């Protein structure tokens, strides 16, 4: 499994095995994949999403989606860094884009706080990180245990996680827009 390019990091796989509480639209809208989307499917999706036949989406490792088909992925932007040090992004079905966590450790704490990729995009939208107004995040005790075990030094409130990610990568939306036709 260690050499399987589609295998999720163990901490992410463990967190994703737990169900997400959708709560009729008031909870976390996220459907994790048991493994990364394969490269061909990623290319097909990325070309359709951008309308650009010249891009391949190789800079993304997709690991889940929301109910409308927006995708959550690692963005392979840090050259030479391992996957768990890459930022997590959301690419929405309606063109929404956001960097939601600086790395896997921060992402685990976002999930532990009861915030998925879509919620981080929609409810923590301002560049200052927002405060989650309009979204009643409910911490998930089981995911807190996972985050404490795998990423204890990354613990921060959800708003701080999202704000730090966006501050580090302020040009993500413009970069994605530049790939669209």
């Amino acid at each position: 499994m260690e050499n399987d390019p589609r295998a999720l990091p163990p901490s992410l796989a463990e967190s994703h095995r737990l169900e997400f509480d959708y709560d009729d639209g008031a909870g976390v809208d996220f459907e994790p994949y048991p493994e990364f989307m394969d490269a061909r499917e990623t290319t097909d999706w990325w070309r359709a999403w951008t309308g650009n036949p010249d891009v391949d989406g190789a800079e993304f490792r997709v690991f889940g989606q929301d109910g409308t088909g927006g995708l959550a992925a690692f963005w392979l932007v840090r050259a030479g860094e391992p996957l768990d040090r890459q930022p997590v992004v959301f690419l929405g079905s309606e063109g929404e884009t956001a960097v939601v966590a600086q790395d896997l450790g921060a992402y685990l704490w976002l999930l532990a706080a009861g915030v998925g990729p879509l919620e981080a995009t929609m409810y923590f939208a301002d560049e200052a990180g927002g405060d989650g107004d309009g979204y009643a995040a409910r911490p998930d005790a089981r995911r807190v245990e996972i985050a404490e075990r795998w990423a204890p030094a990354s613990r921060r409130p959800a708003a701080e996680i999202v704000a730090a990610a966006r501050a580090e990568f302020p040009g993500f939306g413009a970069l994605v827009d530049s790939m669209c036709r």
Side-chain angles (χ1 to χ4, degrees), residues 137-169:
R138 290 169 283 202
D140 182 325
R142 297 167 305 163
R143 285 191 172 87
V144 168
E145 290 173 11
I146 292 168
E148 284 175 339
R149 194 167 359 95
W150 289 97
S154 297
R155 186 177 203 152
R156 289 180 285 169
E160 287 181 25
I161 290 169
V162 175
R166 294 193 181 153
E168 184 175 354
F169 301 102

Side-chain angles (χ1 to χ4, degrees), residues 34-106:
E35 60 189 6
F36 287 113
M37 181 185 285
D38 72 49
R40 181 179 303 263
E41 190 176 359
T42 299
T43 295
D44 291 346
W45 177 84
W46 188 236
R47 287 177 177 166
W49 195 82
T50 62
N52 185 346
D54 299 324
V55 296
D56 64 9
E59 62 269 48
F60 299 104
R61 299 289 309 279
V62 179
F63 58 79
Q65 68 180 48
D66 72 351
T68 66
L71 299 182
F74 286 104
W75 176 32
L76 308 178
V77 67
R78 292 185 174 128
E81 290 288 335
L83 187 66
D84 64 344
R85 292 282 308 128
Q86 303 294 338
V88 174
V89 299
F90 180 75
L91 303 156
S93 63
E94 300 299 318
E96 310 91 340
T97 60
V99 181
V100 299
Q102 290 175 297
D103 58 23
L104 177 55

